[in-house]
């Protein structure tokens, strides 16, 4: 990503934020059907796309999901641009997505997933606002 022009970087950031918004729409569309594993997956990916947009905005490159969590903590939480609670939410979404997608003996339910929806929307809005203030 270090070879990106400013224009290319902005295009990727815009695209990632759009993907985050689309994932949130998929969350809303699945609540009535109570597909909690799928909702947990879309919540995590909504946050993931937004956080990777943040990292790209400051030229931080990472290739793993854990790397994104670590880099977010290092470059945005430790520097007080985002809060520890933002970091905890992101980690929680990651853990739930892992559980929902890969666990053979644990099912996510409404009580696990519903409380994450509003905080995730706020988190993505916070990232979006932060990125638009930067430019």
């Amino acid at each position: 990503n270090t070879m990106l022009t400013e224009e290319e970087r902005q295009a990727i950031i815009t695209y990632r934020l759009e993907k985050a918004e689309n994932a949130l729409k998929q969350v809303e569309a699945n609540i009535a059907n109570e597909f909690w594993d799928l909702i947990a997956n879309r919540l995590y990916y909504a946050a993931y796309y937004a956080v990777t947009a943040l990292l790209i905005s400051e030229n931080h490159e990472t290739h793993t999901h854990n790397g994104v969590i670590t880099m977010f903590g290092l470059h945005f939480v430790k520097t007080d641009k985002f809060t520890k609670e933002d970091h905890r939410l992101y980690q929680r979404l990651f853990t739930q997505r892992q559980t929902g997608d890969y666990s053979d003996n644990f099912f996510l339910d409404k009580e696990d997933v519903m409380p994450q929806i509003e905080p995730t929307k706020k988190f993505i809005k916070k990232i979006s606002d932060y990125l638009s203030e930067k430019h």
Side-chain angles (χ1 to χ4, degrees):
N1 286 355
T2 44
M3 304 311 283
L4 292 176
T5 67
E6 190 51 34
E7 207 172 307
E8 288 167 329
R9 187 183 343 280
Q10 282 316 307
I12 293 170
I13 290 167
T14 301
Y15 176 69
R16 294 275 169 101
L17 291 175
E18 281 169 12
K19 283 186 75 136
E21 288 304 320
N22 283 335
L24 287 178
K25 285 179 189 150
Q26 291 165 351
V27 165
E28 291 301 324
N30 281 290
I31 291 172
N33 294 318
E34 302 198 355
F35 294 146
W36 303 117
D37 289 350
L38 179 60
I39 292 167
N41 175 289
R42 298 331 293 156
L43 282 172
Y44 168 70
Y45 274 99
Y48 170 81
Y49 295 135
V51 171
T52 55
L54 261 185
L55 293 174
I56 289 164
S57 77
E58 294 193 1
N59 280 323
H60 303 300
E61 204 171 345
T62 180
H63 300 287
T64 68
H65 289 274
N66 280 318
V68 174
I69 294 169
T70 302
M71 296 289 262
F72 175 62
L74 207 58
H75 298 290
F76 292 92
V77 179
K78 277 195 165 57
T79 55
D80 290 329
K81 294 170 187 164
F82 286 80
T83 65
K84 286 189 174 74
E85 187 43 51
D86 292 328
H87 200 229
R88 279 193 291 271
L89 171 66
Y90 187 48
Q91 289 173 309
R92 196 159 57 242
L93 294 172
F94 177 68
T95 304
Q96 276 197 348
R97 194 274 311 206
Q98 295 281 92
T99 301
D101 287 357
Y102 302 116
S103 176
D104 289 328
N105 55 9
F106 186 83
F107 289 93
L108 294 172
D109 61 23
K110 184 176 185 170
E111 285 67 38
D112 298 315
V113 179
M114 279 301 281
Q116 313 307 327
I117 295 176
E118 279 312 308
T120 303
K121 286 181 183 172
K122 287 189 178 118
F123 178 52
I124 289 163
K125 184 178 182 336
K126 187 175 177 180
I127 290 174
S128 193
D129 291 347
Y130 175 85
L131 287 169
S132 59
E133 280 161 21
K134 275 187 71 175
H135 295 283

